[in-house]
Amino acid sequence: MFEGPEPIYLQIAEQLRRQVLDGTLAPGDQVMSTTQYATTYRINPATAAKAFALLVDEGVLYKQRGLGMYVSEGAREQLRERRRADFFTERIDTALAEARALGITEDDVVRYITKGARR
């Protein structure tokens, strides 16, 4: 389930973000408790708690004392907006810098993107 060099708590947080983004988890939906998460995935409860705390800090989840963690209203839109910004800065800006280094013109890039969008 959890693989790669990234810490498990970050993998858990990303998994939950993806579930919010794809609609598997909707605003107001309760997420598993840290104990349930730890038992299900055989991890330390503190690891799950760290992931949930991160998502609370980001505003993706909120805690109802004594009841559990829930998906925040507007979480999907917030995540989409953040991902869109990251998409441009991390992927497009990098691709454009590489294109310039390879001598690919702006017109070539626009043509390629336009052609790809039609597929």
Side-chain angles (χ1 to χ4, degrees):
M1 166 89 200
F2 302 110
E3 298 175 4
E6 196 167 54
I8 292 173
Y9 82 95
L10 291 177
Q11 292 181 51
I12 293 167
E14 183 56 27
Q15 178 188 50
L16 290 168
R17 284 187 203 103
R18 278 194 308 271
Q19 290 175 337
V20 171
L21 276 168
D22 71 16
T24 304
L25 288 172
D29 282 355
Q30 186 173 16
V31 297
M32 278 194 270
S33 70
T34 55
T35 304
Q36 289 171 319
Y37 219 94
T39 302
T40 301
Y41 296 107
R42 295 191 168 130
I43 60 169
N44 188 316
T47 301
K50 192 171 181 179
F52 290 176
L54 177 63
L55 294 172
V56 168
D57 289 346
E58 291 177 4
V60 174
L61 299 178
Y62 67 93
K63 186 177 192 173
Q64 280 198 296
R65 191 178 181 111
L67 297 176
M69 296 279 193
Y70 297 84
V71 177
S72 299
E73 198 66 44
R76 184 175 189 202
E77 294 76 17
Q78 174 194 358
L79 286 170
R80 283 180 128 183
E81 197 56 42
R82 190 176 317 135
R83 295 276 172 108
R84 285 178 181 153
D86 290 347
F87 175 80
F88 285 105
T89 58
E90 293 173 8
R91 295 187 184 175
I92 301 300
D93 289 351
T94 302
L96 291 173
E98 179 77 9
R100 279 191 288 281
L102 295 172
I104 298 171
T105 68
E106 183 179 318
D107 289 339
D108 291 336
V109 172
V110 170
R111 257 192 311 277
Y112 185 82
I113 291 171
T114 302
K115 184 179 176 182
R118 292 181 186 147
R119 286 187 230 154

